[in-house]
Amino acid sequence: MIAYPDGTEARVGDAVALAHGAHTGKVTHIIESAADVSAWNLDEPGLMIDTSYGGAVFHPRHSLTDDEIVFVSRAAA
């Protein structure tokens, strides 16, 4: 499970705030399993976020706190 710094489990479709609230984003992929990491050609698990500042940006799990990623809301079911 990948969680935001507040402990909330990350889910596809989540709205998030980035960089102290300066930007917004939407989680498009949760890259968690070894197969996913390999398929995406990454070094570690994390979140792919469609950001308001640069399109799709990968945020490794270890950077979720450093990058100030804050859960805002869940997508409507």
Side-chain angles (χ1 to χ4, degrees):
M1 173 185 84
I2 294 180
Y4 302 107
D6 71 357
T8 303
E9 180 180 358
R11 295 186 188 165
V12 171
D14 286 353
V16 294
L18 305 123
H20 303 284
H23 302 286
T24 59
K26 178 180 171 184
V27 176
T28 59
H29 296 86
I30 298 172
I31 303 159
E32 189 168 15
S33 71
D36 288 343
V37 170
S38 178
W40 282 83
N41 198 30
L42 298 167
D43 294 329
E44 63 184 289
L47 302 176
M48 186 65 71
I49 300 175
D50 184 12
T51 67
S52 62
Y53 63 87
V57 176
F58 176 70
H59 291 271
R61 180 185 308 195
H62 79 271
S63 76
L64 297 181
T65 299
D66 296 340
D67 292 341
E68 299 288 330
I69 296 175
V70 177
F71 171 72
V72 174
S73 66
R74 294 269 184 236

